Amino acid sequence: MSSRKTISRLAGIGSLSAAVLLAATGCGAGGPAAAPGNATSAVTVLVEAGGHAELAGVADKCKAETGLETTFVELPYDGLFNRLSSEFSSGTVSFDVAALDSVWLPNFKDAVQPIDELFTAEAKKDIFPALVKEAQVDGHFIGMPAWTNSEIILYRKDLFEDAKNKADFKAKYGYDLAAPTTWKQYQEISEFFTKDGMYGTDVKGAVETEWMAHVLQAGSPMVIDANNNVIIDNAAHKEALDFYTSLVKSAPTGAAQVDWAAAQNLFNQGKTAMTRFWAHAYRQIPKDAPVFGKVGTAAMIGGSAGVAGVPGPWYLSVPKATKNAENAKKFIKCAYDHNDLGIESTLGLAARMSAFEKYQDKPGYESFKPLIQTLSADATATRPSTAKWQQIVDTVLVPTLQKAVAGGDTAALLAEAKKKVQDLIK
């Protein structure tokens, strides 16, 4: 499942999860598409549920500065992909700007036009390196990142600062109880807090992202290398999978079925002492949750290749078929120039380093420094550039992980997974 698709579901706000059309026409999501903007003063932007909230402030700023009127057409995740596929295939589009999940770029790379002129040297310095790399396909930049995310560590400050816990932990492990900086520490802290109905961490068997992050930290590309070789059975993938499954003993039962929503609920309800989770979730802990005001944040931990995460970016792209490319690019430039406005939205994300840095020292934004560190890390990488990635996730990676956390033989599972991926991409 796409990280951004997951994020929109986790937001827990009706405006983020409703499949509605937020446009001047007032049409329903399944109804006629809004007319694309004219060549002088308007632009139509097609977005996923939640994307409107991220870009509404940008649209207001753009209108004030340039007079450009923006119409948003908002669709649910699957509906957006289907609309894009249909209109790109027909050669006639009803929109001027499309918000694309990063995993869709390979699918639609031939239907969108280069926006190289927006990627100035200054702009590239302010966008996380992994996103700059992903935005460039076949020698051209085809999407400007609008927002991104990555996992960090959330932990229970109240438990970590408790005097008895500190003394007991020091006596057992020989070092001070604090936010972990190594995976060995993470394992031991998880073990320590697994008692009396509490678990040290979660294991999310129903999503692949954390396993893939461990693969990057072990120094390997994810699943497919630069030469399109399937490497899911290499030593790094097995090391990562073995480590991840080792945490099952310190996690709630039923790990094979735990997804993002279940893990978030476990942590917010005080059932786990630590979780690796998307950074935006820190600001979305409900005020009536048992852990509200008791949560600390820490940077993602690194392996032999260093710190690494798997970002979840979305990009703004211009279809080749639009007759309104000038205004489309004008809107995308506004979105870059005022990228920090996304942080004021319900979801609260951006894509520029400077946007996160603007807020990182403000109370309530303690997740931003570890997020910046993770997104800036050399080993951080986006998903492989293949149109089959989501199919690989759904039919190979998640089932493999679920079998592994249930006690399956990891070497045999990875060998089987390799054959399945090879069949998908051949």
Side-chain angles (χ1 to χ4, degrees), residues 37-59:
N38 62 53
T40 57
S41 62
V43 66
T44 298
V45 181
L46 185 63
V47 295
E48 188 260 350
H52 174 264
E54 287 290 297
L55 296 171
V58 166

Side-chain angles (χ1 to χ4, degrees), residues 88-104:
F88 282 152
S89 297
S90 73
T92 302
V93 296
S94 61
F95 52 88
D96 308 308
V97 176
L100 303 181
D101 189 346
S102 59
V103 299
W104 297 347

Side-chain angles (χ1 to χ4, degrees), residues 17 32 100 209 324:
S17 58
L100 303 181
T209 310
N324 198 19

Side-chain angles (χ1 to χ4, degrees), residues 245-256:
T245 58
S246 75
L247 295 173
V248 168
K249 62 181 180 294
S250 299
T253 57

Side-chain angles (χ1 to χ4, degrees), residues 184-255:
K184 182 175 185 294
Q185 291 174 0
Y186 194 94
Q187 281 182 310
E188 291 175 344
I189 294 170
S190 296
E191 178 184 73
F192 176 76
F193 280 115
T194 302
K195 57 187 177 182
D196 303 327
M198 164 78 70
Y199 297 92
T201 188
D202 58 64
V203 170
K204 307 176 186 74
V207 289
E208 84 294 342
T209 310
E210 289 173 359
W211 172 25
M212 292 296 104
H214 284 301
V215 170
L216 295 174
Q217 291 162 17
S220 172
M222 294 179 281
V223 183
I224 303 168
D225 69 13
N227 297 316
N228 211 38
N229 297 312
V230 179
I231 55 171
I232 193 171
D233 62 337
N234 70 10
H237 283 78
K238 186 175 187 304
E239 175 188 331
L241 189 56
D242 287 340
F243 172 78
Y244 197 61
T245 58
S246 75
L247 295 173
V248 168
K249 62 181 180 294
S250 299
T253 57

